[in-house]
């Protein structure tokens, strides 16, 4: 087994090196084949390890690869840790990544830089695998920064686009803010416990839970401080409220990148980290409360924005932000198992929705505005079917008390029921209300996307007619040839279904979106949960939230179904029955619509305060500190004066002997004169 997990983790890195270093020599097909083949190998081995751990009775273990840092008491090693948490994340990461690799064969078929793209994808996957199998904070931090680097490379993959470059820089900078807190959290942990190794750290937490830190005469709980700082890192990586602004702009990367970031890698790292550190968070009540509030606010905040966006990828991006909020408030109220279950099911239906959106964009010849779609179900029947499955899964449709429901039904309801089980606390009640409200909005904007894209009038026909009317008015109607094809060889009138190489991953993910819930619910949150999670997730003796969640009132179990159906009916009314109403609301540009459409004006506020403020501070240090003081006293001051003096002095060096003899004569005469006057005195 140690050799299997070693191959499992290192295979994507080998693929990234081959495609990245030798891609131009071996060509596009070979680069795609090597990276994709190694990812499917990792995926197969991941499912084998997961099966052996879940059903085969395999115990937790750690494989040490090599030493990393050995300085005094600070010891860190490259290792692969296998337990229920890491085994779950292995199948999530490798399953989605391998299907994204395969999907990219079709989606990126016309891109000349495919070896670079597939190298970046595999590098992204390797960094995430190192993160989820880390046995200490240093390797966790390495994987944490690795996915940040890979996301920067992939979001800005089309570097000729200014918007892609700006989006990649924004993602990188915002994540550095969170990572600064994460690094401080790791330092605090080492200061408290003298180790960064999880196996050594976790048994020590209960004994040192009362450790305090004095600052400005005030006493703070050290473990609360450590967990809060670590959570700041999670807020950046998982795009939580205040540090979420990079996520919508990340849509500038190719659609397969969006699917990988949102479903299986970067944004799930923060949720995984909080659940991994449940041993710490269980003794940090203030930090847990902050996690619950931030997650609940994020869930409703992102959902409120989702139903005003018109870019198909941007709607799904905000849905990711909202669903991550669900996961965090679940962890914040102590329902770590439910949080991980939602992370698991979310990976399938979110990857399905993103890749389905990519199929729509491909079939619509790179059109992303849903207002220019409509009526596509006839032309893209498979894409329509799988995206409908994804929509049902994300909205959580299902019948409470039965096994009838898609993946999101089981995990989302488990979170909402857990929140109600903690409703005696302020954060539990707040999370329940926000979670139920977000479920209503999620249903509305998800079905809005489905109806605007696949049903209603064929807006793309009107857009094409408008284009031709404009062309005829200017005497230029040569956009399409006599056969109705445009300059790129695509049909100028009708959308088309995507190629089989893109549809196969969609069908595979659709199976997960349907079945992942009822198959794995008993292991994640059901009767077998205690045996499944083992020691990977720790719950304190007073934490009964998962037990109580199974015994909530009947109305609590049916409340998510009611709001989900209400959202479906509202979306049907506004976008199929009366599609003129949303257009009028948008045209009126009322204050609420403007507020939501502009994403609560976070970008504008940050631009006006932080960006301009930091730029002003930078200008002070540059123009005054650097140019006037440092350059003025240094290169433009003393150095300039010395250079000027040297230039004048060098003129005295003529090279003629009689000039030097004359100067020597003057020197001797001057010396003799001084001696004579000295003797006379």
């Amino acid at each position: 087994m140690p050799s299997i997990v070693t191959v499992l983790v290192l295979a994507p890195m080998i693929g990234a090196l081959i495609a990245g270093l030798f891609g131009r020599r071996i060509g596009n097909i070979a680069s795609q084949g090597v990276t994709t083949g190694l990812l499917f190998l990792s995926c197969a081995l991941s499912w084998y390890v997961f099966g052996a751990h879940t059903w085969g009775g395999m115990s937790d273990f750690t494989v040490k690869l090599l030493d990393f840092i050995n300085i005094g008491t600070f010891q860190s090693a490259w290792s692969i840790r296998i337990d229920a948490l890491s085994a779950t994340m292995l199948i999530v990461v490798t399953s989605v990544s391998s299907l994204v690799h395969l999907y990219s064969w079709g989606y990126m078929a016309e891109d000349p830089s495919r070896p670079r793209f597939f190298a970046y994808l595999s590098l992204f996957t390797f960094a995430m695998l190192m993160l989820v199998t880390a046995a200490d904070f240093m390797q966790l931090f390495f994987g944490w920064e690795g996915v940040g680097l890979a996301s920067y490379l992939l979001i800005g993959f089309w570097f000729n686009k200014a918007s892609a470059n700006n989006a990649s820089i924004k993602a990188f900078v915002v994540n550095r803010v969170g990572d600064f807190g994460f690094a401080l959290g790791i330092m605090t942990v080492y200061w408290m416990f003298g180790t960064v190794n999880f196996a050594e750290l976790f048994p020590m937490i209960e004994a040192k839970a009362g450790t305090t830190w004095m600052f400005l005469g005030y006493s703070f709980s050290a473990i609360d401080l450590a967990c809060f700082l670590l959570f700041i890192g999670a807020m950046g990586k998982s795009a939580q409220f205040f540090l979420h602004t990079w996520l919508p702009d990340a849509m500038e990367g190719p659609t397969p990148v969006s699917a990988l970031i949102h479903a299986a890698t970067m944004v799930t790292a923060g949720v995984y980290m909080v659940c991994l550190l449940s041993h710490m968070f269980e003794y940090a009540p203030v930090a847990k409360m902050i996690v619950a509030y931030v997650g609940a606010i994020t869930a409703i905040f992102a959902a409120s924005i989702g139903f005003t966006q018109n870019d198909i990828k941007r709607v799904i991006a905000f849905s990711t932000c909202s669903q991550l909020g669900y996961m965090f408030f679940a962890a914040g109220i102590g329902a770590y198992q439910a949080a991980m279950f939602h992370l698991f099911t979310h990976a399938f239906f979110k990857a399905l929705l993103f890749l389905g959106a990519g199929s729509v964009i491909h079939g619509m010849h790179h059109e992303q505005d849903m207002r220019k779609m409509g009526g596509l179900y006839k032309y893209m029947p498979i894409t329509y079917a799988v995206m409908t499955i994804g929509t049902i899964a994300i909205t959580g449709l299902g019948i409470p008390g039965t096994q009838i429901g898609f993946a999101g039904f089981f995990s989302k309801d488990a979170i909402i029921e857990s929140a109600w089980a903690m409703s005696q606390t302020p954060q539990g009640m707040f999370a329940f209300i926000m979670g139920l409200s977000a479920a209503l909005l999620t249903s509305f904007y998800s079905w809005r996307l489905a109806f605007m894209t696949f049903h209603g009038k064929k807006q793309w026909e009107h857009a094409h007619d408008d284009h031709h009317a404009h062309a005829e008015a200017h005497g230029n109607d040569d956009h399409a040839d006599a056969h109705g094809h445009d300059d790129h060889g695509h049909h100028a009138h009708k959308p088309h279904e995507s190629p089989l190489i893109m549809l196969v991953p969609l069908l595979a993910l659709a199976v997960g979106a349907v079945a992942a819930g009822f198959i794995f619910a008993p292991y994640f949150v059901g009767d077998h949960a205690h045996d499944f999670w083992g020691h990977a997730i720790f719950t304190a003796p007073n934490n009964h939230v998962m037990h109580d969640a199974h015994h909530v009132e009947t109305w609590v179990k049916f409340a998510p179904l009611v709001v989900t159906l209400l959202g479906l009916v509202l979306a049907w009314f506004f976008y199929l029955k009366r599609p003129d109403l949303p257009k009028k609301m948008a045209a009126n540009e009322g204050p609420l619509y403007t507020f939501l459409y502009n994403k609560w004006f976070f970008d504008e506020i940050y631009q006006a305060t932080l960006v301009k403020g930091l730029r002003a501070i930078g200008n002070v240090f540059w123009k005054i500190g650097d140019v006037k003081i440092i350059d003025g006293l240094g290169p433009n001051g003393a150095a300039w004066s010395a250079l000027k003096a040297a230039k004048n002095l060098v003129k005295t060096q003529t090279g003629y002997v009689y000039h030097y003899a004359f100067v020597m004569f003057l020197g001797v005469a001057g010396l003799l004169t001084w001696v004579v006057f000295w003797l006379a005195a």
Side-chain angles (χ1 to χ4, degrees), residues 191-192 208-215 218-223 225:
W191 166 74
M192 283 183 65
K208 292 194 174 184
T211 303
T212 58
W213 181 64
M214 296 297 298
F215 183 70
Y218 293 94
S219 178
F220 297 91
S221 167
I223 196 165
L225 175 64

Side-chain angles (χ1 to χ4, degrees), residues 255-328:
T255 299
V257 173
S258 304
L260 193 57
I261 290 177
H262 286 250
T265 53
M266 188 167 171
V267 298
T268 63
V271 179
Y272 166 78
M273 186 267 289
V274 172
C275 294
L276 171 67
L277 302 180
S278 57
H279 300 74
M280 293 178 60
F281 278 90
E282 284 293 271
Y283 291 99
V286 176
K288 271 182 69 177
M289 182 177 64
I290 293 172
V291 173
Y293 277 117
V294 171
I297 292 171
T298 304
I300 192 67
F301 153 76
S304 70
I305 296 173
F307 70 84
T308 61
Q309 303 302 305
N310 297 311
D311 185 309
I312 188 170
K313 288 172 64 177
R314 199 171 287 266
V315 173
I316 303 174
F318 278 108
S319 81
T320 298
C321 195
S322 180
Q323 297 302 309
L324 288 165
Y326 274 100
M327 301 175 206
F328 274 111

Side-chain angles (χ1 to χ4, degrees), residues 536-663:
I537 289 179
F538 172 77
T539 51
N542 61 344
N543 183 347
H544 307 293
V545 61
M546 291 307 301
H547 174 269
D548 295 342
H550 294 295
H551 301 89
V552 297
E553 294 87 336
T554 302
W555 72 267
V556 175
K557 293 180 178 291
F558 278 88
L561 175 61
V562 172
V563 298
T564 298
L565 292 176
L566 178 59
L568 168 59
V569 172
L570 289 174
W572 169 83
F573 177 78
F574 279 104
Y575 292 96
L576 291 184
K577 183 71 173 176
R578 291 292 305 277
D580 57 305
L581 293 179
K583 293 179 181 179
K584 290 179 180 178
M585 293 171 63
N588 290 335
E589 295 184 349
L592 180 60
Y593 177 85
T594 302
F595 179 69
L596 297 178
Y597 181 77
N598 288 282
K599 299 163 287 188
W600 292 28
F601 290 102
F602 263 98
D603 285 318
E604 289 78 5
I605 293 171
Y606 285 169
Q607 182 70 26
T609 55
L610 295 177
V611 175
K612 289 186 176 180
L614 291 173
R615 183 177 294 163
I617 294 172
N619 285 336
V620 169
F621 281 106
W622 167 40
K623 295 181 179 179
I624 297 177
D626 191 12
V627 175
K628 291 187 176 180
I629 298 177
I630 297 175
D631 287 351
L633 296 177
N636 299 328
W640 181 86
S641 300
L643 179 63
K644 189 71 175 178
K647 287 182 177 179
N648 292 327
L649 185 63
V650 77
K651 294 178 181 179
T652 65
Q653 304 299 317
T654 64
Y656 293 109
V657 175
Y658 59 85
H659 286 168
Y660 297 130
F662 179 70
V663 172

